[in-house]
Amino acid sequence: MSEKRLFSGIQPSGPIHLGNYLGAIKQWVEYQHDWDAYFSVVDLHALVARPGVKDLRERTLDTLAMLIAIGIDPKSATLFVQSDVPAHSELAWIMNCFTSIGQLSRMTQYKEKSETQGETAGLFNYPVLQAADIALYNAEVVPVGDDQLQHLELAREIVRSLNSYAGKEILVEPKPLLNKSSRIMALNNPEKKMSKSVSGSAIGLLDSEDEVARVIKRAVTDSDPNSSTPSGALKNLFTILESVSDVQTIAKFEEMRVGGHLRYSELKEQLIDDVVAFLRPIQQTYKTLRADTGALNEIRLQGAKKAEVVASDTLQKVKSALGLN
Ligand code: AQP
């Protein structure tokens, strides 16, 4: 196995959508064989929004099953649930001591989410837990969507501050890894990113054909699809097309756009067909995996055991470097 470490996580805060897939998880699948990869279902992060006891428990298993259905191989990558590895919470506390209120106050995600989720200490300290998630595995890179860049930069600052206090390079400074679809926009509002929690914004990977059709048909577009400067809304639809359609179809629509005879209705019909065809095998595999809770729990247990080995080793090093044992 490669020595190069990679970490990334996803909240079990609702059904995974195309934005999560294209912005982050697609890369996870690609990199899992070349890197020593750690992927976590970050349930402690999802708890911040207090989703309800039963929902959180179910969504954690839903998310685990979906990641495998999309192509994460638990034999190749370490796939685990965050709260199964207590070192995440312990390192988060330690990292809180190297983070200022000023740094956390600048986080735009806190400003946005506190409007709907309330100003809880959990939401405020969320990026510190995220920094701990990454640092525990000494991950060099973190494949994420571009909404996470600010948190990643803060994680680097916290690591630097802790290393400087310890007087040695005890933790690795992580770098983000972005791909070209690092920000998929909401279909009902191309100014905002596609989000699980905003209804009508996303195509969920478990959506039925009717749901996919409804969201795509209602996608906000500008008046002229053939303008010489394509709008954000049009670019977003093309990004999705490029991810789910074959090369001939993509070329055909690109030619129509350049030739000035592209029609939104035609583009949307094609998108509906190709998104549905793309989702079908994923949904079938998901259904089989999700029906076997025993097997999923076993994958969860084995993943936690593997993660625990690396996480507790890092935590011990940090504690000893800081005079905590
Ligand atoms: N629209 C997006 N485009 C590209 N990447 C995205 N990601 C999220 N939305 C987009 C990336 O998906 C990974 C997992 O995200 P997350 O579920 O942990 O957190 P999130 O960013 O808060 O996702 P949502 O869908 O917006 O959830 P809610 O509505 O619950 O807040 C991350 O790498 C993220 O960058």
Side-chain angles (χ1 to χ4, degrees), residues 8-15 17-25 28 42 45 109 113 117 126 142-149 179 181-186 192-198 202:
S8 200
I10 181 159
Q11 299 184 70
S13 53
H17 55 72
L18 264 185
N20 299 134
Y21 172 68
L22 298 176
I25 304 165
W28 301 7
V42 289
H45 284 288
Q109 204 170 85
K113 291 199 167 177
Q117 293 182 14
Y126 183 111
V142 187
V144 281
D146 80 349
D147 58 316
Q148 294 302 324
L149 288 182
N179 70 9
S181 323
S182 62
R183 177 171 286 245
I184 302 295
M185 306 314 285
K192 300 242 179 217
K193 74 162 192 140
M194 185 178 280
S195 223
K196 297 186 198 91
S197 50
V198 182

